[in-house]
Amino acid sequence: LSSIETHLPEDELVMHETSEHIVDIIHRMREISNDLMPNTLIRKGLVFAIDEFIYKISNAVKPGEPLAGLKIIFNHTDIPDLPKNKAINLYRIVQEITHNTIKHAKASFLKINLANKDQKILLVSEDNGTGFNYHESGKNSTGLGLRNLVSRTEIMGGDLYIESQIGKGTIYTIEIPV
């Protein structure tokens, strides 16, 4: 685009705006690519990737956006090196839970605990949001969020437990064999 010669101010404006759109598209594609397979997950492992995700999402918010006022706490014990597919699926589960909390729960805190206990990886998240009726949501929902959590857990041979009450928040407990 920069090599095209324009003689009219309107054409120059269009070329400039088009260039800006292309730069924005490239930037967004990089973000999407990183979301699909974060480099930190590959280089440093699951715990660092989750830490980085929470840091980025917590600091990317402007006042008035949904995350404003949500405090995310991430605690973990020593997590062994996991096979790549388990690490990716656990990372995606944390993303899904976090996004669901931001989008639907109206919570002021989200606590995520990741532990290695009795040859299982235990992921527990708890929020103080609006809660929901899991059985009704499963029947009436057009979204993929809960279905993704169930299928990712099943793929890893794990178990998913959801405790939620209207007005009392939600607790997700996921147990994955090491």
Side-chain angles (χ1 to χ4, degrees):
L1 285 174
S2 62
S3 67
I4 297 173
E5 290 186 33
T6 59
H7 300 290
L8 298 173
E10 300 86 24
D11 291 343
E12 286 183 29
L13 179 62
V14 169
M15 296 300 283
H16 178 73
E17 288 174 352
T18 303
S19 292
E20 286 182 356
H21 286 303
I22 290 172
V23 168
D24 289 343
I25 290 168
I26 291 169
H27 178 72
R28 184 65 188 129
M29 286 175 61
R30 284 187 181 138
E31 287 177 350
I32 291 169
S33 174
N34 187 54
D35 285 346
L36 290 173
M37 180 51 69
N39 287 327
T40 304
L41 185 60
I42 296 165
R43 287 189 335 267
K44 296 185 178 181
L46 180 61
V47 169
F48 281 98
I50 293 172
D51 266 333
E52 182 179 87
F53 167 72
I54 290 170
Y55 177 80
K56 282 182 179 178
I57 202 162
S58 295
N59 291 301
V61 181
K62 298 172 184 80
E65 289 184 1
L67 187 63
L70 175 65
K71 180 165 180 59
I72 303 173
I73 301 164
F74 175 49
N75 297 312
H76 59 85
T77 61
D78 288 333
I79 303 300
D81 286 336
L82 298 170
K84 186 176 172 181
N85 66 329
K86 283 189 180 180
I88 291 167
N89 279 306
L90 282 165
Y91 180 79
R92 295 279 174 256
I93 286 171
V94 169
Q95 282 184 313
E96 188 67 49
I97 289 171
T98 304
H99 288 298
N100 285 350
T101 303
I102 292 166
K103 189 174 180 182
H104 303 292
K106 298 179 181 129
S108 63
F109 83 83
L110 170 62
K111 183 168 51 173
I112 300 168
N113 292 313
L114 187 65
N116 179 12
K117 186 176 180 183
D118 301 327
Q119 293 299 306
K120 291 183 180 179
I121 299 296
L122 185 64
L123 173 66
V124 179
S125 77
E126 180 178 357
D127 71 54
N128 66 342
T130 57
F132 65 97
N133 183 323
Y134 173 67
H135 299 291
E136 288 299 314
S137 293
K139 285 189 264 182
N140 301 328
S141 177
T142 58
L144 296 174
L146 288 175
R147 282 183 261 173
N148 283 340
L149 293 177
V150 170
S151 65
R152 288 185 185 282
T153 303
E154 287 174 352
I155 287 169
M156 295 184 288
D159 296 304
L160 168 66
Y161 307 97
I162 300 174
E163 299 174 48
S164 189
Q165 289 185 336
I166 303 296
K168 297 199 179 196
T170 301
I171 301 171
Y172 295 94
T173 302
I174 299 164
E175 297 177 355
I176 307 296
V178 175

